[in-house]
Amino acid sequence: QQPVQSPQAVILREGEDAVINCSSSKALYSVHWYRQKHGEAPVFLMILLKGGEQKGHEKISASFNEKKQQSSLYLTASQLSYSGTYFCGTELLDNYGQNFVFGPGTRLSVLP
Amino acid sequence: SAVISQKPSRDICQRGTSLTIQCQVDSQVTMMFWYRQQPGQSLTLIATANQGSEATYESGFVIDKFPISRPNLTFSTLTVSNMSPEDSSIYLCSVGRGGTNEQYFGPGTRLTVT
């Protein structure tokens, strides 16, 4: 079951903030976040495992809600280097270790 | 993390032929994955390749079309058999690291079938 990501695309100016959401109709075991720049391979950003968890990576952080059905990725004071497509990847709680699925992606463009 | 290389980086093939893509990792890993990505689209898992066992294929992918080898803990191959233009895509291998299988990707192989 592919998770749902929103928005599909977002355009920002440098220094602005963005939030990307990833949701599932079923409880998740884990949520992974990846960024892929055009013409390159996806790069792992972070993984969340615990309901209510928040995790940070420089100015990029993420949260996992208590029900473990939604995660949000927060990009603060965006930089040009943040441009790319952000994918969440999920594993279902009742199917752990199987069926890892990437979301459709959110295309982020940061303009000067 | 891990350093992953793929060969070839790109190829143009005729329909009906087969192409074998190689994936080499700089350290031993248990889990290796093969994905397909159409331009502008998400990544679709083809199969999981664990050393010492048969690859596990996702729905819609079969071994006859995408045979996989995993002879050791640092190497895997994916063959795209009897190719058609619909097989044109980017094929990526990835490795799972850590207890939570965060994934690290190779640079990809861009395949065009004419």
Side-chain angles (χ1 to χ4, degrees):
Chain A
Q1 287 193 337
Q2 187 178 46
V4 176
Q5 282 187 242
S6 63
Q8 288 184 311
V10 59
I11 300 174
L12 301 173
R13 294 284 182 184
E14 269 189 294
E16 292 182 339
D17 301 339
V19 180
I20 300 171
N21 298 305
C22 175
S23 63
S24 170
S25 59
K26 294 188 175 183
L28 301 170
Y29 173 75
S30 69
V31 176
H32 301 216
W33 285 99
Y34 295 80
R35 177 173 62 207
Q36 184 176 32
K37 293 182 179 289
H38 183 70
E40 299 180 8
V43 173
F44 173 77
L45 295 176
M46 66 188 80
I47 181 172
L48 298 106
L49 294 167
K50 301 176 183 176
E53 181 176 14
Q54 294 195 25
K55 188 175 280 190
H57 180 72
E58 297 181 345
K59 292 181 180 178
I60 300 175
S61 61
S63 65
F64 197 8
N65 76 345
E66 289 288 348
K67 285 188 175 181
K68 300 184 73 172
Q69 287 184 254
Q70 181 174 351
S71 176
S72 296
L73 185 71
Y74 306 94
L75 302 129
T76 58
S78 59
Q79 306 168 15
L80 295 176
S81 62
Y82 288 3
S83 293
T85 301
Y86 290 78
F87 294 99
C88 66
T90 59
E91 291 176 283
L92 294 179
L93 186 62
D94 62 2
N95 212 6
Y96 161 63
Q98 303 174 41
N99 302 121
F100 181 83
V101 180
F102 279 98
T106 295
R107 181 169 296 183
L108 177 72
S109 300
V110 181
L111 305 179
Chain B
S1 63
V3 177
I4 305 161
S5 61
Q6 282 186 237
K7 290 181 181 180
S9 59
R10 60 178 62 224
D11 207 341
I12 301 173
C13 302
Q14 291 193 342
R15 69 173 65 210
T17 62
S18 298
L19 176 72
T20 295
I21 302 168
Q22 300 178 7
C23 180
Q24 179 77 51
V25 190
D26 68 339
S27 57
Q28 294 183 339
V29 294
T30 302
M31 307 277 288
M32 293 184 77
F33 307 90
W34 286 98
Y35 287 88
R36 183 169 73 183
Q37 185 177 33
Q38 304 280 4
Q41 302 296 313
S42 184
L43 297 94
T44 301
L45 181 63
I46 297 172
T48 301
N50 293 337
Q51 197 269 338
S53 62
E54 295 291 324
T56 302
Y57 289 83
E58 297 300 304
S59 176
F61 298 95
V62 295
I63 187 171
D64 290 346
K65 176 68 175 177
F66 298 100
I68 288 171
S69 78
R70 183 78 200 274
N72 58 52
L73 290 172
T74 63
F75 187 78
S76 178
T77 67
L78 169 76
T79 299
V80 186
S81 304
N82 188 24
M83 288 184 285
S84 66
E86 291 71 36
D87 294 319
S88 296
S89 189
I90 298 171
Y91 292 84
L92 299 112
C93 69
S94 74
V95 302
R97 301 303 297 266
T100 53
N101 275 328
E102 56 198 60
Q103 294 185 46
Y104 297 89
F105 286 83
T109 296
R110 183 180 293 270
L111 171 63
T112 303
V113 184
T114 60

